[in-house]
């Protein structure tokens, strides 16, 4: 049982490392790209680690980890969205293929 | 195994610190801080599991709240104020 | 006593002092934040080696870390927290008044320093 | 019987208050009120002359541990001085009612201050302890300062007052040190005991005391080069000049030299210094008196000369010399007060004291002329006046000397006497005589109070000669108090045809000739007040140079202040170098700790050089999170938790509070940066060193076990840290949260958006 | 509707349950005392007015479905960015597109934001004032059509989970809440 | 006595909280604040009598053993200095109420409560027997002073406030490092235990610790070369605030130096301290002479006078320490009252600049008297307390044959006299100020202000009058301090 | 300046609030036996306050009351033992076996911790009131037609600032530089910021 947990933990750490590499890769040169990494890889790395930890801990103790995981899932994407919004408002837009927010084009539903 | 995991998280955290230092934009730094914080959370979790000691676990929830707060404030701040890109 | 901790304390102190002697109040605030870390770490280091968290029912057989420096450090953290925020507010006020956060030199001191020159000027004019 | 001393002294104090109050309804009423206490005291003292009463003593202990007490002893010296201080004092108050016209602005300030001086002087002469003497000594300086500055709207007056205060103040401090040393050296602070100790052998500390006390006395008694304050003090109203700056206060130094003299009899320095001060002052003062045109200044310079003579005689220290000094002191008080009173009258009635503008006063002011002549003759040492007897004693005293001392002292005293006669003659001629090229000076009506006071004092000189045994009965015992060697000497109306008398005649003859010659000749140019200028110059130099000096240390730059403090800390840490040990050190507690430390150091150092404000803030915030990681590793979860939260709030506060600033830090000066780096590295090293060294050989062990057991049992909690915070050391926590509360109040009060309360302005920084 | 009355609403009740569960989790024990205390805490939070603004009903099954979709999206998304990171070169073509939501699906800013932001290669950049248009950031502009479709699906699922409430006006609410 | 000790700390603190709550009702707030201060001052006075008759009183807070918990110790030194300090705060608060609504007045809604906190901090600093609690007490005092200094938010205040805050923050940081050294070396922060253990340390560590704390406390006490913050910051604060700062804050630094360095037997620091003392005296006095503003002159004199106290202590003899203690007691009211007079001058003349003011003695003789008495005392002239205090340290210096520092003391004395004369000549003598140059008409409740100042002058006269008894007590206190065994056994650690 | 609220932010904060509040309460209650305590609890509540204020969901008020109340609580806990003849600051531990709930243990140290919490929350509010005040004022100005209008007038520090303001002379200086947005600090530029181009643009984005 605990071996599963350990593997999950290492997996989580690996995901975290990938997120880290993404942050430092020089050719990942837009802030949006880095935000995608932080917004997706990071929470997942923690979720995986947390899942791994649950295998080790007593059920009741694991509750804390679960709560933290839920809290993160709820909060992190919200935060990242706000950062996206801020980035766009800061006119960080030159490299976009298409920018319908700035141009005002709207697709019909 | 857990040591390897912690080392991995440490590397991720250091990458975060690197981006934190280099910027160039405030958003980059905030994102980097989030990554670093999450690495810390992971490390705490692994350590707690390893020693089966729940003492530090309460910090996880607190860290989640903390990270969120920092992000929200930074984002909100940027909206009320300056452009993001800073000459590096 | 761990050299690593000493290095952390030294690094934080050095950078802290460096920042504190700057002219920009933002840097000063950051410097004090680092100095605060250094001071707290010193207290912790002075208390002895690491150990289990000083919580009676979970520590088990492992020796606990010295709780007293932790309490002292907490008090120190809280105090420097409050004062750092106050300094921030001061900087904010300064910014509202002058548009920046640079620490200005004391006007009256400068006046006193200039005084001798003024006297010389007066004498020169009189002559 | 000591009660009477307190009663008399109390009368003065009551009088001060009364004069201040009564004076408001008219300055004359105030002056008369003030005169009461001195008059009673003088009368009482005169009564004590009859009969051979024991000395009166009174004591009020102030600070026992320092031997500080108001200790009065009314012995023969004190009695003589009381007669002068209170007797002349009462007359001066009367005189002042004439000096100030009835229409003068009402006010209690002058009468009260003058009486305060009188009381201080009385305390000084009654003193039987060096500290009593010192206390009243300083009070006379202060009251003198206030009186000199009476007309303080005039800048020159303020300068004069400042000069007087500074010189006498410095003298007071010198005296203070001298008295402490003297007290230590002789083991007593009691003046009577000091006289009884005899003359101890010379020693270093005694020599130091001698120098300090002599310098102190010289400042007060206007000895060269400290005399410069006295001519300036003539800016005071004339009653003040007559009373303080001729009759009484300036005698305080002489008095001090007399009462402490016996202790320094074997100290050569004392004598040499005294002779130097005395002789130079005697000659230079007389020269000054011959060069001036302001009648009051002529008298003031004469006073310097006379005081020089007194100091010379006391420095000689022989029985005869001390006796002569005592007699002269008495005589001088009378004649100099008279002369001042007369000059004041001239000033008031003619509107000037400039002798070149005075003409024919001998006719228009005959009474004044008469009294002035009496006093002048006394000053010149001619019979039938008291001055004659005293001067005779002085000349005889110096003629008794032998060797080098005789050569120097006798020449000086005789030469000084010639000059004294000369300036007296000149004074009388130029002030009262008729000048061919000057219209007779118009004169206002007489003011009886002034004339009366001058008259009484002037005639007293004659009476003193007539009833010389009475004066001898006053002076002789006083001289005996100073030195027992004065035993054989008395004042004589006619000494017989001694060498001394011959010398006196020669002196008088030469002096009159010189005086008449100078009076006839063209008026000399008014000398520039070089001494006063020099004194003011030194004061101004202190005032002007201090900014230069102080701006070196107080330049108003915070970073430099902080660097200074850091340097001080570095210096303070130097002793740690002598106790370096490494045995107790380990590289790290765990590899993770080392990794975390590396993160912290790298982030902190690079964070310091991040040019972006918010970038720096976030980076250093990350340092804080890493530090909390260290806490976790150390086994301090509470600390880690708190650190996380605190760091977040600080980062938030930083972003919100300072985020609006420009995003780049302003550029840093390169040299200053180098200094900062050096200082930072040094402080960091010292802190590490101190911590490592302090822990190397601990002398106590922290009670960890006791803490955790007691926390659970007594504190009722498992989290030992929390129990410490909320129970064992709850007081710290209480203080800590109040700090937070106050910081919060301060933060709230500084609401950045609020408009300034009023236009920003720093007091005193307008220029 | 805020305050104590909100407890009676599904979302309020859900909050109470969640808080109670969390309370027990924090104390690491489900005991009578902890449940009661947790309820008390939950009620206190609701009473303080700082609980969620509780309107509308709750469709638990739809919610679970939505979470399942989100979880799968999350795994895919992680794979996408991880792949981009560990393979050399940068193959992204960023763009911002606008997606207009059908009426009745505009109330779930948060849910939608979470869902979309977690979806591979997309993130919400902005939402229009009335909630009718979502602006998305795409890492790969070529996936635009798939993304629009997926977004609309997510919006539909969110609307199912939390159906539109009766349009009863709520006097106590702030204007800002009306917009969401 | 336990109750008295606690009241000196908690009465002003509670009053502060209550008056903050009732800040909308000015009168009630004033009364509550005054009551709090009065209770504190009264308790401290009662405590003095209690300690003088029954000896040292120790409270173990929460009943914890001194090795674990915090003790409060009212020894003679503390009991002697505390009443002076607390009475002054009361008087100044009274003055502040009179000064309200003038342009020099502090904001009373804040200054009352903040002074309450400051008072609590002062009491705590004087009474604590724990080095870490001393740190907390310092911070209490400092934070309230920070806020008092800057709460009006004017540009000058902000500028000087930064200097003040930042300097003191660095000093506080050094304090924490010092605490770490001490704890690492001895395993305790209880002062009695420290007094037992520190002398056992190797001399390098012991002196390092001693010198380090000298820097820490020296900054608070504003000794050379660490004083620069003081003259820059004090004069910009509202008068009453400056008066309190002047009277109390630096004195707490000196108090701490006396307490720490005698108890820990740091006698080897003698020559260092005397050099610092001598330079401090002279530089402070020279600095005063360089100024053209009454408040700045007075600020520099604080520094100079600190030199005298340091000199007394630095002699490391019983009578020297006694002199320092007496100087401390004398200096607090004198300095406070001088600043209060500065406030009166501002109120009458519209300025405290020597160049603008003038002729006040003729118009307001009472104010002149109220200035003259403390000014003479400050200059060390008899028959006032300043003379006794100066005599005490000077004769102790001569006893120890410390010639140069005595000489420095005398030079500083002369310079002090000169600068007091400078104020007198320019403010009280001379011509009335040019009405055009005055920015604002006098306002405020002059009667209350003069009454409060008079009260303080009377207090300083009482100290002059009872200088004998106070000197005896100071000597007893000094003897206790220099015999640490007494303190150690009283605390019973 | 128009700052359009973000619905996601508001809902996110709304979701996070109960979570954080519960965690804060947990820290407060558990502190005596587990990591936590009044200070940490206060800070967690403080972050809630920060989040909600920054998201425009509440105003920072009543902090003076919180702070003075907190001081009174801790002072009362310190003094109270004297009334019962104990040493000051002597903490009482009450332990009681209750039906159903089991053993309940608490004491005056807990009350003490509550005082601590109150002060810390007060601090967070004061910080926001001071540093965020401009944004609040801007927002209030923007939303004046819509808002209930109760926010700024009933502000916690209103009286404190009014008290200071009441002494003010009528003149006031401009408040430059608050929004200097250029890359270099430039005081001279700061004065023109009323026409700051960035602000106009922001308005356009929002509209
Ligand atoms: Na201070
Ligand atoms: Na003037």
């Amino acid at each position: 049982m605990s071996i599963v947990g350990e593997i999950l933990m290492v997996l989580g750490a690996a995901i975290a490392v990938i997120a880290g590499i993404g942050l430092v890769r020089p050719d990942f040169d837009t802030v949006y790209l880095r935000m995608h990494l932080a917004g997706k890889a990071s929470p997942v790395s923690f979720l995986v680690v947390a899942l791994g930890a649950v295998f080790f801990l007593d059920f009741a103790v694991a509750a804390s980890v679960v709560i933290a995981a839920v809290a993160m899932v709820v909060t992190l994407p919200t935060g990242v969205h706000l950062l996206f919004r801020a980035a766009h408002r800061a006119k960080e837009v030159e490299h976009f293929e298409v920018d319908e927010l700035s141009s005002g084009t709207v697709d019909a539903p | 195994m857990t040591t390897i995991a912690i080392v991995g998280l440490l590397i991720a955290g250091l990458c975060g610190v690197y981006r934190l230092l280099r910027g160039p934009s405030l958003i980059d730094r905030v994102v980097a801080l989030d990554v670093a914080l999450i690495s810390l959370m992971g490390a705490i979790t692994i350590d707690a599991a390893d020693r089966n000691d729940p003492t530090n676990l309460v910090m996880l929830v607190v860290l989640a709240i903390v990270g969120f707060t920092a992000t929200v404030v930074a984002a909100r701040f940027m909206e009320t104020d300056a452009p993001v890109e800073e000459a590096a | 006593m761990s050299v690593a901790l000493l290095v952390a304390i030294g690094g934080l102190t050095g950078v802290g002092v460096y920042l504190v002697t700057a002219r920009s109040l933002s840097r000063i605030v950051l410097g004090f934040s680092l100095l605060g870390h250094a001071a707290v770490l010193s207290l912790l280091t002075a208390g002895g080696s690491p150990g289990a968290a000083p919580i009676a029912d979970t520590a088990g057989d492992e020796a606990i870390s010295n709780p007293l420096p932790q309490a002292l450090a907490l008090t120190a953290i809280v105090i420097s927290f409050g004062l750092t925020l106050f300094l921030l507010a001061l900087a904010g006020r300064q910014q509202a008044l002058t548009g920046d956060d640079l620490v200005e030199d004391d006007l009256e001191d400068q006046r006193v320093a200039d005084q001798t020159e003024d006297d010389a000027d007066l004498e020169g004019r009189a002559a | 019987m000591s009660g009477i001393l307190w009663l008399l002294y109390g009368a003065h104090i009551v009088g001060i208050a009364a004069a201040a109050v009564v004076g408001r309804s008219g300055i004359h009423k105030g002056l008369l009120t003030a005169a009461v206490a001195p008059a009673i005291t003088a009368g009482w003292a005169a009564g004590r002359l009859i009969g051979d009463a024991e000395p009166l003593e009174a004591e009020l202990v102030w600070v026992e541990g320092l031997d500080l007490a108001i200790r009065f002893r009314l012995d023969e010296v004190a009695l003589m001085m009381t007669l002068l201080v209170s007797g002349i004092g009462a007359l001066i108050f009367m005189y002042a009612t004439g000096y100030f016209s009835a229409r003068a602005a009402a006010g209690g300030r002058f009468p009260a201050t003058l009486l305060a001086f009188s009381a201080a002087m009385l305390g000084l002469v009654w003193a039987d302890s060096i500290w009593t003497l010192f206390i009243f000594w300083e009070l006379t300086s202060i009251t003198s300062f206030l009186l000199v500055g009476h007309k303080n709207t005039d800048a020159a007056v303020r300068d004069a007052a400042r000069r007087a205060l500074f010189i006498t103040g410095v003298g007071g401090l010198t005296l203070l040190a001298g008295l402490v040393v003297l007290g230590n050296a002789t083991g007593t602070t009691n003046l009577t005991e000091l006289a009884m100790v005899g003359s101890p052998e010379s020693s270093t500390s005694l020599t130091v005391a001698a120098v300090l006390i002599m310098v102190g006395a010289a400042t007060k008694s206007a000895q060269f080069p400290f005399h410069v304050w006295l001519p300036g003090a003539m800016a005071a109203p004339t009653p003040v000049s007559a009373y303080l700056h001729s009759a009484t206060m300036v005698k305080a130094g002489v008095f001090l030299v007399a009462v402490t003299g016996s202790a320094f009899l074997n100290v050569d320095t004392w004598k040499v210094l005294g002779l130097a001060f005395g002789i130079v002052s005697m000659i230079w003062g007389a020269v000054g008196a011959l060069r001036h045109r302001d009648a009051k200044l002529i008298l003031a310079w004469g006073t310097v000369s006379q005081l020089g003579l007194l100091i010379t005689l006391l420095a000689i220290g022989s029985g005869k010399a001390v006796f002569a000094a005592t007699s002269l002191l008495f005589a001088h008080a009378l004649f100099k007060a008279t002369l001042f009173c007369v000059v004041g009258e001239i000033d008031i009635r003619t509107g000037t004291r400039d002798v070149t503008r005075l003409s024919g006063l001998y006719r228009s002011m005959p009474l004044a002329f008469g009294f002035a002549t009496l006093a002048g003759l006394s000053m010149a040492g001619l019979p039938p006046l008291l001055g004659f007897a005293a001067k005779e004693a002085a000349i005889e005293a110096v003629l008794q000397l032998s060797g080098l001392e005789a050569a120097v002292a006798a020449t000086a005293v005789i030469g000084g006497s010639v000059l004294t006669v000369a300036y007296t003659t000149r004074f009388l001629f130029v002030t009262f005589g008729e000048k061919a090229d000057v219209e007779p000076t118009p004169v206002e009506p007489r003011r009886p109070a002034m004339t009366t006071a001058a008259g009484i004092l002037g005639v007293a000189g004659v009476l003193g000669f007539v009833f010389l045994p009475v004066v001898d009965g006053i002076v002789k015992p006083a001289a005996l108090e100073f030195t027992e060697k004065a035993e054989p000497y008395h004042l004589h109306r006619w000494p017989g045809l001694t060498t001394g008398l011959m010398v006196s005649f020669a002196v008088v003859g030469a002096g009159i000739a010189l005086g008449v010659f100078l009076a006839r000749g063209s008026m000399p140019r008014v000398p520039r007040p070089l001494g006063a200028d020099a004194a003011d110059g030194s004061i101004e130099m202190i005032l002007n140079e201090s900014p230069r000096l102080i701006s070196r240390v107080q330049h108003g730059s915070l970073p430099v202040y902080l660097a200074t403090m850091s340097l001080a800390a570095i210096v303070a840490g130097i002793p740690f170098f002598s106790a370096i040990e490494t045995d107790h050190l380990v590289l790290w507690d765990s590899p993770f700790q080392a990794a975390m430390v590396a993160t912290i150091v790298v982030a902190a150092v690079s964070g310091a050089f991040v040019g972006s404000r918010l970038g720096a803030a976030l980076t250093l915030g990350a340092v804080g999170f890493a530090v909390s990681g260290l806490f976790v590793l150390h086994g301090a979860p509470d600390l880690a938790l708190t650190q996380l939260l605190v760091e977040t709030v600080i980062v938030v506060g930083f972003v919100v509070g300072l985020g609006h600033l420009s995003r780049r830090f302003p550029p840093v000066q390169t040299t200053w940066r180098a200094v900062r780096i050096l200082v930072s590295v040094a402080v960091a090293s010292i802190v590490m060193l101190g911590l490592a060294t302090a822990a190397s050989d601990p002398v106590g062990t922290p009670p960890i076990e006791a803490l955790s057991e007691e926390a659970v049992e007594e504190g009722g909690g498992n989290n030992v840290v929390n129990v410490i915070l909320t129970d064992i050391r709850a007081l710290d926590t209480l203080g800590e949260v109040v700090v937070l509360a106050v910081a919060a109040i301060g933060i709230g009060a500084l609401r950045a958006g609020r408009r300034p309360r009023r236009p920003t302005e720093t007091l005193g920084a307008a220029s | 509707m805020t305050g104590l009355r909100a407890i009676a609403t599904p979302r309020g009740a859900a909050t109470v349950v969640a808080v109670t569960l969390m309370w027990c989790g924090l104390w690491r024990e489900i005991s009578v005392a902890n449940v009661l205390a947790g309820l008390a805490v939950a009620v206190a939070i609701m009473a303080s007015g700082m609980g969620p603004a509780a309107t509308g009903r709750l469709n638990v099954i739809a919610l679970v479905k939505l979470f399942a979709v989100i979880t799968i999206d999350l795994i895919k998304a992680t794979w996408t960015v991880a792949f981009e990171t560990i393979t050399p070169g940068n193959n992204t073509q960023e763009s911002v597109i606008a997606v207009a939501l059908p009426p009745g699906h505009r109330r779930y800013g948060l849910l939608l934001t979470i869902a979309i932001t977690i979806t591979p290669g997309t993130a919400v950049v902005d939402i229009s004032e009335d909630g009718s248009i979502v602006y998305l950031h795409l890492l790969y502009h070529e996936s635009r059509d798939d993304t629009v479709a997926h977004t609309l699906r997510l919006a539909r699922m969110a609307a199912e989970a939390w159906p539109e409430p009766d349009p009863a006006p709520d006097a106590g609410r702030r204007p800002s809440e009306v917009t969401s | 006595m336990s109750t008295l000790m606690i009241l000196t700390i908690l009465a002003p603190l509670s009053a502060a909280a209550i008056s903050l709550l009732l800040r909308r009702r000015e009168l009630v707030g004033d009364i509550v604040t005054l009551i709090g201060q009065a209770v504190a001052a009264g308790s401290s006075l009662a405590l003095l009598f209690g300690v003088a008759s029954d000896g040292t009183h120790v409270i173990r807070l929460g009943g914890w053993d001194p090795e674990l918990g915090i003790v409060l110790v009212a020894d003679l030194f503390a009991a002697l200095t505390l009443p002076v300090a607390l009475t002054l705060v009361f008087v100044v608060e009274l003055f502040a109420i009179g000064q309200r609504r003038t342009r020099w007045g502090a904001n009373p809604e804040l200054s009352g409560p903040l002074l309450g906190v400051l008072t609590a901090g002062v009491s705590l600093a004087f009474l604590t027997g724990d080095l870490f609690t001393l740190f907390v007490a310092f911070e209490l005092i400092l934070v309230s002073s920070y806020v008092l200094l800057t709460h009006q938010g004017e540009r000058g205040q902000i500028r000087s406030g930064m200097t003040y805050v930042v300097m003191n923050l660095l000093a506080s940081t050094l304090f924490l490092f010092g605490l770490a050294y001490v704890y690492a070396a001895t395993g305790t922060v209880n002062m009695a235990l420290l007094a037992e253990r520190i002398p056992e340390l190797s001399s390098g560590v012991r002196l390092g610790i001693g010198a380090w704390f000298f820097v820490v406390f020296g900054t608070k006490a504003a000794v050379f070369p660490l004083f620069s913050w003081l003259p820059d910051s004090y004069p910009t604060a509202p008068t009453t605030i400056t008066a309190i700062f002047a009277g109390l804050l630096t004195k707490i630094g000196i108090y701490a130096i006396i307490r720490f360095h005698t108890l820990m037997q740091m006698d080897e620091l003698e020559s260092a301290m005397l050099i610092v003392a001598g330079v401090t005296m002279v530089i402070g006095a020279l600095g005063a002479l360089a100024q053209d503003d009454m408040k700045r002159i007075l600020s520099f004199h604080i520094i100079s006078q600190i030199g005298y106290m340091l000199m007394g202590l630095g002699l490391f003899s019983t009578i020297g320490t006694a002199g320092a203690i007496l100087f401390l007691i004398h200096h607090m009211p004198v300095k406070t009252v001088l600043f209060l007079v500065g406030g009166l001058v501002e109120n009458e003349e519209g300025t405290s600049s020597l160049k603008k003011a003038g002729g006040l003695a003729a118009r307001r003789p009472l104010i002149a008297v109220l200035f003259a008495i403390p000014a003479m005392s400050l200059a060390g002239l008899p028959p006032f307390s300043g003379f006794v205090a100066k005599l005490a340290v000077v004769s102790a210096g001569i006893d120890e044959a410390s010639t140069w520092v005595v000489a420095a003391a005398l030079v500083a004395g002369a310079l002090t006299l000169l600068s007091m004369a400078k104020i007198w000549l320019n403010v009280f003598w001379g011509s009335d100020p040019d009405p055009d140059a005055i920015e604002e008409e006098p306002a405020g409740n002059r009667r209350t202000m003069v009454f409060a100042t008079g009260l303080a002058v009377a207090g300083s006269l009482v100290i002059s009058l009872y200088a004998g008894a106070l000197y005896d007590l100071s000597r007893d206190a000094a003897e206790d301090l220099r015999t640490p065994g007494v303190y150690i056994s009283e605390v019973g650690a | 300046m128009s700052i359009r609220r973000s619905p996601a932010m508001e809902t996110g904060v709304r979701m996070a609030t109960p979570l954080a509040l519960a965690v804060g309460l947990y820290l407060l209650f558990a502190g005596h036996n587990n990591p936590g305590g009044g200070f940490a609890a206060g800070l967690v509540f403080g972050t809630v306050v920060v989040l909600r204020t920054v998201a425009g969901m509440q105003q920072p008020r009543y902090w003076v009351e919180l702070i003075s109340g907190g001081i009174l609580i801790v002072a009362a806990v310190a003094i109270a033992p004297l009334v019962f003849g104990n040493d000051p600051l002597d903490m009482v531990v009450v332990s009681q076996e209750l039906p159903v709930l089991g053993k309940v243990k608490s004491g005056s140290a807990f009350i003490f911790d509550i005082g601590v919490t109150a002060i810390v929350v007060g601090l967070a509010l004061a910080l926001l009131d001071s540093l965020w005040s401009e944004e609040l004022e801007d927002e209030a100005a923007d939303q004046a037609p819509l808002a209930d209008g109760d926010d700024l007038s009933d502000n916690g520090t209103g009286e404190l600032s009014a008290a200071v303001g009441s002494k003010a002379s009528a003149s006031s200086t401009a408040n430059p530089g608050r929004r200097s947005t250029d890359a270099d600090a430039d005081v001279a530029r700061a004065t023109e910021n009323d026409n700051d181009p960035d602000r106009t643009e922001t308005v356009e984005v929002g509209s």
Side-chain angles (χ1 to χ4, degrees), chain F residues 142 164 168 219-221 229 234 249-250:
Chain F
L142 287 173
Y164 180 73
N168 277 298
T219 308
K220 317 268 175 192
W229 55 269
Y234 280 15
L249 295 197
T250 50

Side-chain angles (χ1 to χ4, degrees), chain C residues 30 71 73 112 114:
Chain C
L30 297 173
V112 168
D114 295 344

Side-chain angles (χ1 to χ4, degrees), chain A residues 41-103:
Chain A
S42 285
V44 171
S45 76
F46 177 71
L47 291 180
V48 174
V49 166
L51 192 61
V54 170
F55 283 94
F56 281 82
L57 297 164
D58 303 339
F59 169 74
V61 175
S64 307
V65 182
V66 174
I67 294 166
V70 171
M72 177 178 286
V73 170
V74 172
T75 57
L76 198 85
T78 318
V80 170
H81 151 64
L82 291 174
L83 292 176
F84 266 97
R85 187 165 93 143
H88 193 272
R89 289 189 176 192
K91 300 281 167 286
E92 183 81 353
V93 292
E94 290 83 15
H95 60 282
F96 286 148
E97 206 91 331
V98 173
D99 185 357
E100 292 176 350
L101 180 50
S102 301
S103 61

Side-chain angles (χ1 to χ4, degrees), chain E residues 174, chain G residues 59-64 66 125 150-151 154-157:
Chain E
R174 301 215 178 163
Chain G
Q59 297 291 324
R61 45 182 149 171
Y62 303 126
W63 56 266
V64 180
L66 271 173
L125 286 166
D150 61 345
D151 289 339
D154 190 29
N155 194 315
T157 38

Side-chain angles (χ1 to χ4, degrees), chain D residues 683-751:
Chain D
V683 172
S685 319
I686 285 288
V687 167
M688 290 161 70
L689 173 73
L691 205 52
T693 315
S696 62
D697 187 18
V699 292
T701 40
I704 299 178
E705 288 300 309
L707 264 178
S708 59
E709 278 165 24
E710 294 278 308
V712 176
E713 278 165 31
E714 294 289 320
N718 291 329
N719 183 349
V720 184
V721 176
N722 188 272
V723 174
I724 294 176
L725 285 172
T726 57
D727 192 343
I728 301 178
R729 297 185 67 95
L731 186 63
D732 283 349
T733 311
L734 194 157
E736 153 209 319
V737 295
V738 177
V739 168
L740 272 194
V742 174
I745 292 169
I747 291 165
L750 282 172
R751 278 173 58 120

Side-chain angles (χ1 to χ4, degrees), chain F residues 207-229:
Chain F
L207 286 184
I209 289 174
W212 192 270
F213 275 98
F214 184 47
V215 171
V216 171
F217 297 144
T219 308
K220 317 268 175 192
V223 303
F224 178 85
L226 306 167
F227 62 76
S228 307
W229 55 269

Side-chain angles (χ1 to χ4, degrees), chain D residues 660 663 718-719 722, chain G residues 32-34 178 181:
Chain D
H660 296 294
R663 270 158 280 104
N718 291 329
N719 183 349
N722 188 272
Chain G
H32 220 45
N33 293 303
N34 283 301
R178 177 73 176 161
T181 53

